Amino acid sequence: MKKLSPIFLSGNGTSRFLECPVIQSPLAGVSDQIFRKFVRRWSPKALLFTEMVNAKSLELGHGVEKVIELSEESGPIGVQLFDHRPNSMVDAAIKAESSGAFLIDINMGCPVKKIAKKGGGSALLKEPELAKLIVNKVSKAISIPVTVKIRLGWCEDTSNPVAFALGLQEAGAQLITVHGRTRSQGFSGYANWEAISKIKKSLDIPVIANGDIKNSRDAIQCLEITNADGVMIGRASMGAPWLVGQIDEEIKNQKTFKPPDAKMKVSLCLEHLKLLVSKKGNHGLLIARKHMNWTCRDFEGAYSLRHKLIRASTPKDAIKLLEDELIKFN
Ligand SMILES: Cc1cc2nc3c(=O)[nH]c(=O)nc-3n(C[C@H](O)[C@H](O)[C@H](O)COP(=O)(O)O)c2cc1C
């Protein structure tokens, strides 16, 4: 495998180095501050992302906490913004920069109808001139680097991802992450790593490959095919906040990383639940359920524990279940 180098990003005044070529993807509804805290435990230097933030909401003062929280966190954290209005994106990017964002990422891949219908996310794949204008305006307005996350196009028939990515580079993007699917594919089929390799070949700026990387074997294969500068890990990290650190360590040192055992997974669930409940009260349990459901896997008794956790109707009950489970390991 080719040796990966640190990634250099030159902003409009503030340059950045990414020491770790394995990146945690932005995941709406998942990659909140508490999730990032766990990812950070295994990946002190990896680039992590906020969940995507609506530039319009930021303008109106909603969703501000997603950005303000950054100042409390260590390591590089990118703020991902979405909207189709250049001025709104500029305002939001300025706010995010002043809150301590490591870089600003512009979402041009989100397939969610509600967002694309208004012209944001993946809808920008159909509007290359507008996409370029947004990147150009945002990169001139802030000093930190501007990056873009794209898919291969809106649909296969009309897409020219190389031309689209070249346009973004020309407009000032400092790095492009490519999820190797079109918008019309949603999450079906397989990510097209060959198509990412064509984009990588054509650009001078770093390219990050994304889509269907679940372990270090996938990451190595993807890097071989795409020749990308790094990889981004999405769904496979849900419930496995150690995965970015694991893949990084395994591809760098070819050592076999020891992922958390059953006891560690249960204590991770307990810690996650307690943090969510202390931040969000009873609603924290609802959020914690999905994380616990993803994390409680691949150990004896995991199925039954998951089943009980789903039924726990109060944070106190769920905490007791996990504490009782931990006693069994002693
Ligand atoms: C629950 C969920 C939330 C997501 N939220 C975002 C998001 O906020 N911004 C974004 O650019 N992509 C988002 N994505 C897409 C992922 O970042 C990633 O590009 C995609 O899942 C493909 O990578 P994977 O195969 O490693 O999951 C989301 C995906 C999922 C499943």
Side-chain angles (χ1 to χ4, degrees), residues 148-206:
V148 188
K149 184 161 174 282
I150 63 171
R151 283 182 174 238
L152 292 174
W154 181 260
C155 62
E156 239 149 286
D157 305 341
T158 57
S159 302
N160 186 345
V162 170
F164 188 82
L166 276 169
L168 299 178
Q169 171 177 279
E170 195 186 295
Q174 288 297 319
L175 171 148
I176 293 183
T177 303
V178 189
H179 174 192
R181 288 185 175 84
T182 59
R183 192 266 179 188
S184 61
Q185 277 180 290
F187 284 90
S188 65
Y190 294 102
N192 184 345
W193 294 342
E194 293 288 348
I196 301 177
S197 86
K198 291 190 183 134
I199 298 176
K200 167 63 193 164
K201 232 181 255 162
S202 312
L203 296 194
D204 300 318
I205 56 172

Side-chain angles (χ1 to χ4, degrees), residues 25-30 50-52 80 105 107 110 149 179 181 187 210-213 232-236 238:
S25 81
L27 292 167
V30 179
T50 59
E51 305 166 78
M52 60 184 168
Q80 192 192 54
D105 188 70
N107 182 315
C110 177
K149 184 161 174 282
H179 174 192
R181 288 185 175 84
F187 284 90
N210 170 238
D212 297 346
I213 300 169
M232 178 181 273
I233 315 299
R235 289 165 294 172
M238 298 184 340

